[in-house]
Each structure stands twice: as structure tokens, then as C-alpha cells.
Amino acid sequence: MTAELAHTSCQREGLELAWEKAVTERGITPDEGLCHDVLHAAARHGLFELAADVMTHLEKLQVTLSEQHIAPLLEAFVSAGQLKEAFKVIDLMQSG
């Protein structure tokens, strides 16, 4: 179990580091497909800040946000125990 936790931790850190280096520091603009993949990985690991950043990039790409984009954001908040923010996402989904 310890090895599994370490592996998961490395995945989380690697995902955050890769996004930071490529998108934030180097200004690379990811396409919608990559954003979708990162959203799902962020959701799985409870990386709500990364998921929110991905959503910002999707908006810059002028992608019409739908449930397939918003649901992983919701999952990221829930996975991280950020229930108040998760309910805000639900409100957003219902109003959209």
C-alpha cells in the first residue's frame, strides 16, 4: 500500500509540474483533447486548482463548456473535500 500511495503522489506531482512548466511558464496552449485528459486526471487526484486552471484555458480556446468539462471539476472538488465549492459547481451546472 505504501508503494501505491507513493506512486499516486508522484503522479499528482508530475501532473501539476508538467502543466506548470508547459502551460504557465512556457505559454504552450493545450488543445481541448489534452485539457479533457488533464481535467480527468485532476479529478481523480482531487487537484481542484489544476482543474480550475484547465477550465480557464478551455474558455480561452472558446470551448463551449458542457457537462463533460464541468463534471471533472466537480469531482476534483469532492475528491479534495471541498464540498462548498463542489456545490457551487452544481449550481453552475444547473444554471447552464
Side-chain angles (χ1 to χ4, degrees), residues 4-5 8 14-15 24 27 30 36 38-39 42 46 48 56-57 59 70 78 81-82 86 89-90 92-93 95:
E4 185 178 317
L5 289 174
T8 299
L15 180 62
T24 305
H36 189 262
V38 173
L39 265 177
F48 61 90
T56 299
H57 283 279
E59 289 174 340
I70 299 171
V78 171
Q82 299 292 320
V89 173
I90 291 171
L92 174 68
M93 291 174 72
S95 68

Side-chain angles (χ1 to χ4, degrees), residues 1-94:
M1 181 165 166
T2 304
E4 185 178 317
L5 289 174
H7 179 70
T8 299
S9 177
C10 288
Q11 287 177 340
R12 287 175 54 120
E13 292 172 10
L15 180 62
E16 290 175 306
L17 181 62
W19 184 267
E20 178 72 24
K21 292 286 184 186
V23 178
T24 305
E25 291 179 15
R26 296 190 180 174
I28 296 172
T29 302
D31 65 10
E32 183 179 0
L34 179 59
C35 286
H36 189 262
D37 291 345
V38 173
L39 265 177
H40 282 278
R44 185 171 42 256
H45 295 293
L47 301 172
F48 61 90
E49 291 172 337
L50 176 58
D53 195 35
V54 172
M55 296 293 280
T56 299
H57 283 279
L58 286 169
E59 289 174 340
K60 287 179 185 176
L61 292 172
Q62 299 180 342
V63 172
T64 302
L65 299 179
S66 65
E67 184 178 342
Q68 72 174 350
H69 303 104
I70 299 171
L73 177 63
L74 173 63
E75 183 181 347
F77 280 118
V78 171
S79 294
Q82 299 292 320
L83 301 181
K84 185 176 180 179
E85 296 302 319
F87 279 109
K88 289 180 184 179
V89 173
I90 291 171
D91 287 342
L92 174 68
M93 291 174 72
Q94 290 176 341

